[in-house]
Amino acid sequence: MKILFLAYFFSLSLLCQAKTLSVGRNQPLKSIKAALEQSADGDTIIVTGGIYREGRILINKQITLIGKNFPTLDGQHKSEVISINADNVVLQGFKIVNSGHAALEDPCGVRVYDKNYVVIKDNILDNNFFGIYIQNGKNCIIKNNTIRAYGKQEQLIGNGIHCWKSENLQIIANKISGHRDGIYFEFVTNSVIWRNISFKNIRYGLHFMFSNDDAYITNVFKNNGAGVAVMFTKNVKMFNNYFEENWGDSAYGLLLKEIADSYIFNNRFSKNTSGIYMEGTSRIKVEKNVFSSNGWGMKIQASCMDNEIVNNNYLKNTFDISTNGSLVLNTFNSNYWDKYEGYDLDKNGVGDVPYHPLSLFAVLTESSPPTMLLYRSFMITLLDKSEKVLPSITPDNFIDNTPLMKSLPL
């Protein structure tokens, strides 16, 4: 109890001693670096509008740095713009532009070095190699930033928000475009990605690697090179996201590779080459999602097992489901398929005849892509109808025994 009282007293005394420093053309201090030299832990530095070309700005004290009217911090294509090397730092209200470009050093608009409880919010980051980089951080918040770059090749640009070996991060309501990956997680745990818009990035809107026990919720991933990739990961929750217009030869809304024990719920997959591409996945529940106007609703490779696909809507896809093998180790239950031609005599809302969502043409296209030239031909339609009556190539147990007669109101 005595120790808690002393800690409280010490924190209160620091708060009482804290001061506010002002930087600007008409202020006592003309540079941010000068204000940082005069500051102490707990202080606030307010920077008024203007352009500040001060090279790399190192924050190594527990301060709050606030910009008024978005003062511009210009790296002049030479260096990292802001380096944070202290806990409990707040960075808010700046326009941070023109970091250096170097593949070995990864210069950033803002970088956090092995620190905790850092808040980066309400900033504009423009034309930086990496936007915001959290390295070995804990309990950090990246919120309501606009992060844009103009990369043309993924080797020549970094990621918008890059997080490595961190935990308990909150990535909230950011807009990211023009980077290699919009958001990148590697060895990041117990973190949330919420209400972000990641669009027109060269590779992925979001890229997960070796990052367990995370959630991404209510984000928009649109018109990226290959959508979203979640790899070598377990216990991920993916709720209420939009995967839209991710087109390309090897593109998809969502790639799942070597992941397990995860939940994909109430997402929208629209106008992607493949809505979901699954490879080496196990114990994934895909529930109450909408797959609409995709080339393939889902591609489920033969290496996938114990996945449950239940209560989803499949609407206007060229192919609802595709696979590259004959062994079926996943279950399909109570989905709505707009291609289902069965009947419901007892009027219980469930088709009386099971549905085989894997068409013969989907199997042929998987093994020989040039057969797409025959799409919508009379011969292919005849083959598909014959296959449904007397299955010979498609697996018998690739089946939804309880197909819904009406789409779910998702």
Side-chain angles (χ1 to χ4, degrees), residues 79-123:
S79 63
E80 192 160 273
V81 184
I82 295 181
S83 302
I84 298 175
N85 200 14
D87 296 332
N88 300 299
V89 170
V90 176
L91 177 68
Q92 179 180 3
F94 289 90
K95 186 174 183 180
I96 300 163
V97 303
N98 301 331
S99 76
H101 283 67
L104 294 178
E105 297 178 358
D106 294 341
C108 310
V110 181
R111 186 164 183 162
V112 179
Y113 290 84
D114 311 313
K115 297 302 174 183
N116 310 318
Y117 300 101
V118 174
V119 178
I120 302 167
K121 65 179 182 179
D122 303 327
N123 301 286

Coordinates of all heavy atoms in Angstrom, one line a residue, residues 79-123:
S79 N 16.1 11.1 -44.8 CA 16.2 10.4 -43.5 C 14.8 10.0 -43.1 O 13.8 10.3 -43.6 CB 16.8 11.3 -42.5 OG 16.0 12.4 -42.3
E80 N 14.8 9.2 -42.0 CA 13.6 8.9 -41.2 C 13.1 10.3 -40.7 O 13.9 11.1 -40.3 CB 13.9 8.0 -40.1 CG 12.7 7.4 -39.4 CD 13.1 6.1 -38.7 OE1 13.1 5.0 -39.3 OE2 13.4 6.2 -37.5
V81 N 11.8 10.5 -40.6 CA 11.3 11.8 -40.2 C 11.2 11.9 -38.7 O 11.8 12.8 -38.1 CB 10.0 12.1 -40.9 CG1 9.5 13.5 -40.5 CG2 10.1 12.0 -42.4
I82 N 10.5 10.9 -38.1 CA 10.3 10.9 -36.6 C 10.7 9.6 -36.1 O 10.1 8.5 -36.5 CB 8.9 11.3 -36.2 CG1 8.6 12.7 -36.6 CG2 8.7 11.1 -34.7 CD1 7.2 13.2 -36.2
S83 N 11.6 9.5 -35.1 CA 12.0 8.3 -34.4 C 11.5 8.4 -32.9 O 11.9 9.4 -32.3 CB 13.5 8.1 -34.5 OG 13.9 8.0 -35.8
I84 N 10.7 7.5 -32.5 CA 10.2 7.5 -31.1 C 11.0 6.5 -30.3 O 10.9 5.3 -30.6 CB 8.7 7.3 -31.0 CG1 8.0 8.4 -31.8 CG2 8.2 7.2 -29.6 CD1 6.5 8.2 -31.9
N85 N 11.7 6.9 -29.3 CA 12.5 6.0 -28.4 C 12.2 6.3 -27.0 O 13.1 6.3 -26.1 CB 14.0 6.2 -28.7 CG 14.8 5.0 -28.3 OD1 14.3 4.0 -28.0 ND2 16.1 5.2 -28.2
A86 N 10.9 6.4 -26.7 CA 10.5 6.6 -25.3 C 9.1 6.0 -25.1 O 8.3 6.0 -26.1 CB 10.5 8.1 -24.9
D87 N 8.7 5.6 -23.9 CA 7.4 5.2 -23.6 C 6.5 6.4 -23.5 O 6.9 7.5 -23.3 CB 7.3 4.4 -22.3 CG 8.1 3.1 -22.4 OD1 8.3 2.5 -23.5 OD2 8.6 2.6 -21.4
N88 N 5.1 6.1 -23.6 CA 4.1 7.1 -23.2 C 4.3 8.4 -24.1 O 4.1 9.5 -23.6 CB 4.2 7.5 -21.8 CG 3.9 6.3 -20.9 OD1 2.9 5.7 -20.9 ND2 4.9 5.9 -20.1
V89 N 4.5 8.3 -25.4 CA 4.6 9.4 -26.3 C 3.3 9.5 -27.0 O 2.7 8.5 -27.5 CB 5.8 9.2 -27.3 CG1 5.7 10.3 -28.4 CG2 7.1 9.3 -26.5
V90 N 2.8 10.7 -27.2 CA 1.6 11.0 -28.1 C 2.1 11.9 -29.2 O 2.7 12.9 -29.0 CB 0.5 11.7 -27.3 CG1 -0.7 12.0 -28.3 CG2 0.0 10.8 -26.2
L91 N 1.8 11.5 -30.5 CA 2.1 12.2 -31.7 C 0.8 12.5 -32.4 O 0.2 11.5 -32.9 CB 3.1 11.5 -32.6 CG 3.5 12.1 -33.9 CD1 4.3 13.4 -33.7 CD2 4.3 11.1 -34.8
Q92 N 0.4 13.7 -32.6 CA -0.9 14.0 -33.1 C -0.9 15.3 -33.9 O -0.3 16.3 -33.6 CB -1.9 14.2 -31.9 CG -3.3 14.6 -32.3 CD -4.2 14.8 -31.2 OE1 -3.8 14.7 -30.0 NE2 -5.5 15.0 -31.4
G93 N -1.5 15.2 -35.1 CA -1.9 16.4 -35.9 C -0.8 17.0 -36.8 O -0.8 18.2 -37.1
F94 N 0.1 16.1 -37.3 CA 1.1 16.5 -38.2 C 0.9 16.0 -39.6 O 0.3 14.9 -39.8 CB 2.5 16.1 -37.7 CG 3.0 16.8 -36.5 CD1 2.6 16.3 -35.2 CD2 3.7 18.0 -36.5 CE1 3.0 17.0 -34.0 CE2 4.1 18.6 -35.4 CZ 3.8 18.1 -34.1
K95 N 1.6 16.7 -40.6 CA 1.7 16.1 -41.9 C 3.2 15.8 -42.1 O 4.1 16.6 -42.0 CB 1.3 17.2 -43.0 CG 1.4 16.6 -44.4 CD 0.8 17.6 -45.4 CE 0.8 16.9 -46.8 NZ 0.3 17.9 -47.8
I96 N 3.4 14.5 -42.3 CA 4.8 13.9 -42.3 C 5.1 13.4 -43.6 O 4.5 12.5 -44.1 CB 4.9 12.8 -41.2 CG1 4.5 13.4 -39.8 CG2 6.3 12.2 -41.2 CD1 4.2 12.3 -38.8
V97 N 6.1 14.0 -44.3 CA 6.3 13.7 -45.7 C 7.8 13.5 -46.1 O 8.7 13.8 -45.4 CB 5.8 14.9 -46.6 CG1 4.4 15.2 -46.3 CG2 6.7 16.2 -46.4
N98 N 7.9 12.7 -47.2 CA 9.2 12.6 -47.9 C 10.4 12.0 -47.0 O 11.4 12.6 -46.9 CB 9.7 14.0 -48.4 CG 8.7 14.6 -49.4 OD1 8.0 13.9 -50.1 ND2 8.6 15.9 -49.4
S99 N 10.1 10.9 -46.5 CA 11.2 10.2 -45.8 C 12.2 9.7 -46.9 O 12.0 9.8 -48.1 CB 10.7 8.9 -45.0 OG 10.4 7.9 -46.0
G100 N 13.4 9.3 -46.4 CA 14.3 8.7 -47.3 C 13.8 7.4 -47.9 O 12.8 6.8 -47.4
H101 N 14.5 6.9 -48.9 CA 14.1 5.6 -49.5 C 15.4 4.7 -49.5 O 16.4 5.0 -50.2 CB 13.6 5.7 -50.9 CG 12.2 6.2 -51.0 ND1 11.8 7.5 -50.5 CD2 11.0 5.6 -51.4 CE1 10.5 7.6 -50.7 NE2 10.0 6.5 -51.2
A102 N 15.4 3.6 -48.7 CA 16.5 2.7 -48.6 C 16.1 1.4 -48.2 O 15.5 1.2 -47.1 CB 17.6 3.3 -47.6
A103 N 16.3 0.4 -49.0 CA 15.8 -1.0 -48.8 C 16.5 -1.6 -47.5 O 15.9 -2.5 -46.9 CB 16.1 -1.9 -50.0
L104 N 17.7 -1.3 -47.2 CA 18.4 -1.9 -46.0 C 18.0 -1.3 -44.7 O 17.8 -2.0 -43.7 CB 19.9 -1.8 -46.2 CG 20.5 -2.6 -47.4 CD1 22.0 -2.4 -47.5 CD2 20.2 -4.1 -47.2
E105 N 17.8 0.0 -44.7 CA 17.5 0.7 -43.4 C 16.0 0.9 -43.1 O 15.6 1.2 -42.0 CB 18.2 2.1 -43.4 CG 19.7 2.0 -43.5 CD 20.4 3.4 -43.5 OE1 19.6 4.4 -43.5 OE2 21.6 3.4 -43.5
D106 N 15.2 0.8 -44.1 CA 13.7 0.9 -44.0 C 13.3 2.2 -43.3 O 12.7 2.3 -42.3 CB 13.1 -0.2 -43.2 CG 13.2 -1.6 -44.0 OD1 13.4 -1.5 -45.2 OD2 13.1 -2.6 -43.3
P107 N 13.7 3.4 -43.9 CA 13.3 4.7 -43.3 C 11.8 4.9 -43.3 O 11.2 4.4 -44.2 CB 14.1 5.7 -44.1 CG 14.3 5.0 -45.4 CD 14.5 3.6 -45.1
C108 N 11.3 5.6 -42.3 CA 9.9 5.6 -42.1 C 9.4 7.1 -41.9 O 10.2 8.0 -41.6 CB 9.5 4.9 -40.9 SG 10.1 3.2 -40.8
G109 N 8.1 7.3 -42.1 CA 7.6 8.6 -41.6 C 7.7 8.6 -40.1 O 8.2 9.6 -39.5
V110 N 7.2 7.6 -39.4 CA 7.3 7.5 -38.0 C 7.7 6.1 -37.6 O 7.1 5.1 -38.1 CB 5.9 7.8 -37.3 CG1 6.0 7.7 -35.8 CG2 5.4 9.2 -37.7
R111 N 8.7 5.9 -36.7 CA 9.1 4.6 -36.2 C 9.2 4.6 -34.7 O 9.7 5.5 -34.1 CB 10.4 4.2 -36.9 CG 10.8 2.8 -36.6 CD 11.9 2.4 -37.5 NE 12.3 1.0 -37.3 CZ 13.0 0.3 -38.2 NH1 13.3 0.8 -39.3 NH2 13.4 -1.0 -37.9
V112 N 8.7 3.5 -34.1 CA 8.7 3.3 -32.7 C 9.7 2.2 -32.4 O 9.5 1.1 -32.9 CB 7.3 3.0 -32.1 CG1 7.4 2.7 -30.6 CG2 6.3 4.1 -32.4
Y113 N 10.7 2.5 -31.6 CA 11.8 1.5 -31.3 C 11.6 0.9 -29.9 O 11.9 1.5 -28.9 CB 13.2 2.2 -31.4 CG 13.6 2.7 -32.8 CD1 13.2 3.9 -33.3 CD2 14.4 1.9 -33.5 CE1 13.6 4.3 -34.6 CE2 14.8 2.3 -34.8 CZ 14.4 3.5 -35.3 OH 14.8 3.9 -36.6
D114 N 11.1 -0.3 -29.9 CA 11.0 -1.1 -28.6 C 10.4 -0.4 -27.5 O 10.9 -0.4 -26.3 CB 12.5 -1.5 -28.3 CG 13.2 -2.1 -29.4 OD1 12.7 -3.0 -30.1 OD2 14.4 -1.7 -29.7
K115 N 9.3 0.4 -27.7 CA 8.7 1.1 -26.7 C 7.2 0.8 -26.5 O 6.6 0.2 -27.4 CB 8.9 2.6 -26.9 CG 10.4 3.1 -26.9 CD 11.0 2.7 -25.6 CE 12.5 3.0 -25.6 NZ 13.2 2.6 -24.4
N116 N 6.6 1.3 -25.4 CA 5.3 0.9 -25.1 C 4.4 2.2 -24.9 O 4.9 3.2 -24.6 CB 5.3 0.1 -23.8 CG 6.2 -1.1 -23.9 OD1 6.4 -1.8 -24.9 ND2 7.0 -1.3 -22.8
Y117 N 3.1 1.9 -25.0 CA 2.1 3.0 -24.7 C 2.3 4.2 -25.6 O 2.2 5.4 -25.1 CB 2.1 3.3 -23.2 CG 1.7 2.1 -22.3 CD1 2.7 1.4 -21.7 CD2 0.4 1.7 -22.2 CE1 2.4 0.4 -20.9 CE2 0.1 0.6 -21.4 CZ 1.1 -0.1 -20.8 OH 0.8 -1.2 -20.0
V118 N 2.6 4.0 -26.8 CA 2.8 5.1 -27.8 C 1.5 5.3 -28.5 O 0.9 4.3 -29.0 CB 3.9 4.9 -28.7 CG1 4.0 6.0 -29.8 CG2 5.3 4.8 -27.9
V119 N 1.0 6.6 -28.7 CA -0.2 6.9 -29.5 C 0.2 7.7 -30.7 O 0.8 8.8 -30.5 CB -1.2 7.6 -28.6 CG1 -2.5 8.0 -29.4 CG2 -1.6 6.7 -27.4
I120 N -0.2 7.3 -31.9 CA 0.0 8.0 -33.1 C -1.3 8.2 -33.7 O -1.9 7.3 -34.3 CB 1.0 7.3 -34.0 CG1 2.3 7.0 -33.3 CG2 1.2 8.0 -35.3 CD1 3.2 6.0 -34.0
K121 N -1.8 9.4 -33.7 CA -3.2 9.6 -34.2 C -3.4 10.9 -34.9 O -2.6 11.9 -34.7 CB -4.2 9.5 -33.0 CG -4.1 10.6 -32.0 CD -5.1 10.5 -30.9 CE -5.0 11.6 -29.9 NZ -6.1 11.5 -28.8
D122 N -4.4 11.0 -35.8 CA -4.8 12.2 -36.5 C -3.7 12.8 -37.3 O -3.6 14.1 -37.4 CB -5.4 13.2 -35.5 CG -6.5 12.6 -34.7 OD1 -7.3 11.8 -35.3 OD2 -6.6 13.0 -33.5
N123 N -2.8 12.0 -38.0 CA -1.7 12.6 -38.8 C -2.0 12.2 -40.2 O -2.7 11.3 -40.6 CB -0.4 12.0 -38.3 CG -0.1 12.3 -36.9 OD1 0.3 13.4 -36.5 ND2 -0.2 11.2 -36.0

